[in-house]
Amino acid sequence: MDSLKIYSQSDINHLIIHRDGETKLGERVEIYHPSGENILSTAAISMKGLAKSKAKFVLLGIPEDIGIRANAGIAGASTTWGPALMAFLNIQSNRFLSGEELLVLGHLEIDEPEDSSIEGLKNKVAEIDDLIYPIIQKIVQAGKIPIVIGGGHNNAYPIIKGTSLAKNQAIDVLNIDAHADLRKQEGRHSGNGFTYALKEDYLANYLMYGLHQNYNNEEILNQIETNPKLKAVFFDDILKGVDNKDFLNGMSSFAGLEIDLDCIQNVLSSAETPSGFAVNDIRKLILTNGKEFSYLHISEGATRMLDGRVSKLTSKLIAYLISDFIKAQA
């Protein structure tokens, strides 16, 4: 049965590499449920319980790639959460980031569907949606900022939904991505999370930064051109030096931040690219943009792909992005 594993202190301690004279973030982070049974239902998370924490940020893992496979992609994103969490927890606790800013909630444990067909996978993604959005809603209602590590980009939809319900209004979203993920409502998968969020009025204005002209179909390009809620900057135009300094003007203070790691060159993912943003481009954007965000969602990265590709760097990259986000927002 799908469930939320809420971490105990022993879960955290098991991941810390101790060294004399040093303190790691994992020794300073908060946990939600320090003792007792770890496998709990979503209903076990209370808004009041979260609100008691002094931490401003709540970290949640969604280690699944069912949505990617439902979109005919290659499995592998389910491998990211554990290594990324370990890399983050072993960052030094110091004057720049202590660890006390963050509560590590846990991760979702999601069973494989009995029906492994495309339709079966799509149906399972809809079930995952219903598991995720109430957790996000409670985190945001508690006055906290969710940081979600995926997993497929299908999870953008329930994260947007949960945030919107908590805020009692549709929210803006900035998505740094090679793909718009505005495919048809043809059953849930990683390529249509923003379509569903728009259609159901959880998403107000959708800003896409870094889209690749080669990998967005004509129907999606027509949507961007004709729908005033959609605004895009293409990576190809960034390469040409086109001025986009006003791109974020008008974005609301309720905006969510989405980072699909397939927009960064040579990062392991189902849609790994040799041409894209450099890692430091994304780090600089997070650290210097000056905007406040309602959540951060990092998706699509992998440490091991079903086709045999492996990368030890994805986890450390995610640790950098999480720490950058906390520093910029705190």
Side-chain angles (χ1 to χ4, degrees):
M1 181 180 295
D2 298 339
S3 59
L4 171 65
K5 176 180 173 63
I6 300 175
Y7 287 179
S8 67
Q9 190 61 54
S10 63
D11 292 319
I12 300 296
N13 293 343
H14 180 69
L15 299 174
I16 301 170
I17 301 171
H18 296 277
R19 183 178 288 124
D20 289 344
E22 296 182 352
T23 303
K24 304 295 181 63
L25 293 187
E27 299 175 74
R28 292 286 183 263
V29 297
E30 287 192 45
I31 55 170
Y32 180 79
H33 190 70
S35 62
E37 181 59 56
N38 288 341
I39 304 297
L40 298 174
S41 69
T42 301
I45 297 295
S46 75
M47 185 269 288
K48 289 183 179 179
L50 289 166
K52 291 178 182 178
S53 168
K54 296 179 181 179
K56 181 177 181 179
F57 304 88
V58 176
L59 185 62
L60 174 68
I62 311 178
E64 63 79 35
D65 45 36
I66 296 170
I68 293 172
R69 286 180 278 145
N71 194 28
I74 303 170
S78 62
T79 65
T80 309
W81 164 248
L85 177 62
M86 185 171 181
F88 176 77
L89 293 177
N90 283 287
I91 290 174
Q92 297 288 339
S93 173
N94 57 29
R95 69 186 66 182
F96 300 108
L97 187 66
S98 74
E100 295 174 353
E101 303 90 344
L102 183 76
L103 184 151
V104 180
L105 182 59
H107 73 263
L108 297 177
E109 297 194 332
I110 298 170
D111 294 335
E112 283 291 315
E114 293 183 6
D115 180 1
S116 61
S117 69
I118 291 295
E119 285 306 311
L121 295 173
K122 289 178 179 178
N123 291 336
K124 182 65 178 184
V125 174
E127 295 177 12
I128 295 170
D129 291 342
D130 290 339
L131 183 65
I132 294 171
Y133 86 80
I135 301 173
I136 300 300
Q137 183 178 359
K138 289 178 181 179
I139 293 171
V140 177
Q141 284 176 333
K144 310 301 183 184
I145 298 175
I147 298 176
V148 184
I149 309 303
H153 216 170
N154 44 289
N155 298 316
Y157 164 67
I159 294 170
I160 294 168
K161 179 178 179 178
T163 305
S164 172
L165 291 173
K167 299 286 189 181
N168 293 311
Q169 66 179 79
I171 65 167
D172 293 351
V173 170
L174 170 62
N175 181 25
I176 306 171
D177 198 345
H179 314 92
D181 292 339
L182 285 168
R183 294 183 182 275
K184 295 178 180 178
Q185 286 181 288
E186 54 192 6
R188 288 283 293 114
H189 57 62
S190 66
N192 60 20
F194 299 98
T195 305
Y196 278 78
L198 280 166
K199 294 292 185 180
E200 297 179 15
D201 293 325
Y202 299 122
L203 178 55
N205 296 295
Y206 178 32
L207 291 78
M208 296 153 274
Y209 189 74
L211 298 187
H212 286 210
Q213 293 176 358
N214 290 2
Y215 295 103
N216 288 275
N217 64 42
E218 188 63 25
E219 182 178 348
I220 289 173
L221 297 179
N222 286 335
Q223 287 187 63
I224 294 171
E225 187 176 47
T226 59
N227 188 337
K229 293 184 176 182
L230 308 180
K231 188 177 179 182
V233 169
F234 286 88
F235 185 72
D236 312 69
D237 290 330
I238 295 171
L239 292 177
K240 291 188 290 187
V242 175
D243 183 9
N244 56 65
K245 64 181 181 180
D246 297 328
F247 177 64
L248 298 182
N249 286 357
M251 187 175 71
S252 78
S253 58
F254 293 120
L257 176 58
E258 299 273 343
I259 302 176
D260 188 321
L261 294 183
D262 68 20
C263 75
I264 304 176
Q265 61 189 21
N266 302 322
V267 172
L268 191 61
S269 69
S270 178
E272 184 177 4
T273 181
S275 175
F277 291 112
V279 169
N280 287 344
D281 293 334
I282 304 302
R283 292 193 65 198
K284 183 177 180 180
L285 189 152
I286 293 172
L287 289 166
T288 65
N289 76 85
K291 300 287 184 180
E292 293 185 7
F293 291 100
S294 294
Y295 72 80
L296 169 66
H297 178 209
I298 300 174
S299 66
E300 302 279 335
T303 57
R304 181 180 296 274
M305 301 297 296
L306 185 63
D307 60 14
R309 288 175 289 155
V310 177
S311 174
K312 295 181 179 180
L313 296 179
T314 308
S315 55
K316 194 168 185 177
L317 164 61
I318 292 172
Y320 269 113
L321 298 182
I322 296 171
S323 61
D324 289 343
F325 181 77
I326 294 174
K327 290 174 186 178
Q329 299 294 304

